[in-house]
């Protein structure tokens, strides 16, 4: 485990203190991503100790983790200052989770979907040229399981299979940098599910497109695999946009 990661830092603490650390980190991270704590604001350690009723050591560790994510910096004679969003480590899965929980959810969805559109179609193309027989068979089997779960309306199972499908495509690409994006893909798919930005019953075309990707990879047809994956990305964004607009139009106005 990366010793600089938030999970490693929490694991090194006593269970009770680790729980406090996680709670404060989550609350502060979400507040910063949501704009409740604006860039340029100065955090006072004593104020944070009082607000969260935790020790100074817990607050210091939280601030250390936030600094590693680019959220804060310590300035001499000023204190701990919140940094602008362009300094954040936007590839950190925890940062993605916090941004998905904020009012800027759709902007985060859009940027990740654009990233996926740039990477995953090429990953599918590479997979078609590099995949072995067993990997290809497993991918086709996953697509079939996704079809069954989608038709049954089993959202939880479909989500898990969807995450695994895209993980397998990235893995089959043979590109170790693409593989590292699997956690980002998992976060955005989980976020879509959690925030109801995907239909209860997946669109039949989406199910077919996943099957098309798998079959094209199995047949070593890189161009067809790439094209089908592009269509998956485009449809995902269209679904999110349509559902978000529908949610906005049905929200009650101020009393």
């Amino acid at each position: 485990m990366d010793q600089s990661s938030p999970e490693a830092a929490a694991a090194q603490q006593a269970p009770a203190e680790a729980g406090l650390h996680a709670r404060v980190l989550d609350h502060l991270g979400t507040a910063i991503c949501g704009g409740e704590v604006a860039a340029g604001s100065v955090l006072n350690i004593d104020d944070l100790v009082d607000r969260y009723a935790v020790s100074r050591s817990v607050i210091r560790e939280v601030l250390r983790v936030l600094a590693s994510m680019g959220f804060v910096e310590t300035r001499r004679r000023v204190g701990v200052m919140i940094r602008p969003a362009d300094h954040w480590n936007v590839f950190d899965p925890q940062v993605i989770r916090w941004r998905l929980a904020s009012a800027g959810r759709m902007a985060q969805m859009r940027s990740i979907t654009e990233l996926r559109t740039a990477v995953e179609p090429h990953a599918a193309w590479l997979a078609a040229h590099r995949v072995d027989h067993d990997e290809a068979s497993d991918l086709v089997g996953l697509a079939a399981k996704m079809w069954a779960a989608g038709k049954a309306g089993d959202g939880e199972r479909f989500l898990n299979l969807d995450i695994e499908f895209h993980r397998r495509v990235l893995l089959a690409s043979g590109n170790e940098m693409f593989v590292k994006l699997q956690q980002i893909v998992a976060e955005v798919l989980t976020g879509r599910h959690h925030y109801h930005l995907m239909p209860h019953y997946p669109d039949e075309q989406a199910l077919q497109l996943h099957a098309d990707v798998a079959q094209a990879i199995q047949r070593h047809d890189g161009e067809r695999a790439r094209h089908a994956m592009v269509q998956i990305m485009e449809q995902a964004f269209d679904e999110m946009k349509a559902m978000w607009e529908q949610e906005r139009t049905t929200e009650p106005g101020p009393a």
Side-chain angles (χ1 to χ4, degrees):
M1 181 183 292
D2 182 358
Q3 295 302 307
S4 64
S5 70
E7 293 82 0
Q12 292 170 357
Q13 301 171 26
E17 190 166 282
L20 293 173
H21 168 274
R23 177 176 64 84
V24 177
L25 178 63
D26 195 54
H27 189 274
L28 264 178
T30 303
I32 293 169
C33 286
E36 297 167 43
V37 183
S41 301
V42 176
L43 299 177
N44 182 281
I45 291 178
D46 290 330
D47 289 345
L48 294 174
V49 166
D50 291 341
R51 184 190 310 172
Y52 293 108
V54 296
S55 67
R56 291 175 68 87
S57 64
V58 168
I59 295 300
R60 286 198 188 95
E61 180 55 32
V62 166
L63 294 176
R64 189 194 68 78
V65 173
L66 290 174
S68 75
M69 296 174 170
F71 276 33
V72 301
E73 64 177 332
T74 302
R75 292 191 178 179
R76 191 176 179 185
R77 297 177 183 171
V78 175
V80 180
M81 182 176 287
I82 304 298
R83 304 180 80 190
D86 57 3
H87 290 276
W88 301 350
N89 178 7
V90 294
F91 286 93
D92 189 303
Q94 195 157 16
V95 174
I96 292 170
R97 207 171 306 136
W98 292 334
R99 294 181 75 186
L100 289 174
S102 75
R105 181 177 306 129
M106 281 305 292
Q108 173 70 111
M109 288 285 189
R110 181 182 297 110
S111 65
I112 295 181
T113 303
E114 289 171 351
L115 172 67
R116 294 181 65 198
T117 302
V119 171
E120 290 197 61
H122 193 63
W125 183 87
L126 286 173
H129 294 283
R130 295 174 174 175
V131 73
D132 64 33
H133 180 270
D134 290 342
E135 288 174 322
S137 296
D138 288 347
L139 204 55
V140 171
L142 271 173
K145 291 175 183 176
M146 286 178 67
W147 187 287
K151 287 295 186 182
D154 189 342
E156 203 66 45
R157 178 164 170 74
F158 180 83
L159 170 65
N160 292 332
L161 290 168
D162 198 15
I163 290 171
E164 181 63 10
F165 181 90
H166 289 277
R167 187 188 77 81
R168 293 287 187 95
V169 172
L170 291 169
L171 188 62
S173 75
N175 183 302
E176 71 278 6
M177 298 189 79
F178 285 2
V179 173
K180 289 295 184 182
L181 296 176
Q182 62 182 288
Q183 233 180 326
I184 292 175
V185 174
E187 287 296 340
V188 74
L189 291 174
T190 301
R192 284 191 66 197
H193 179 78
H194 181 76
Y195 295 107
H196 310 293
L197 292 171
M198 61 192 308
H200 181 68
Y201 287 90
D203 184 87
E204 188 164 317
Q205 184 184 8
L207 297 174
Q208 183 59 56
L209 286 170
H210 282 80
D212 289 346
V213 169
Q215 290 165 9
I217 288 174
Q218 186 179 47
R219 295 168 184 166
H220 306 292
D221 187 341
E223 287 307 319
R224 184 181 173 195
R226 184 207 301 270
H227 181 65
M229 188 65 86
V230 168
Q231 288 182 287
I232 289 173
M233 298 299 112
E234 290 174 345
Q235 186 177 46
F237 185 72
D238 287 344
E239 284 176 353
M240 287 187 288
K241 185 177 178 181
M243 296 179 76
W244 186 259
E245 289 300 323
Q246 182 180 14
E247 182 179 300
R248 287 178 59 189
T249 58
T250 57
E251 285 178 351

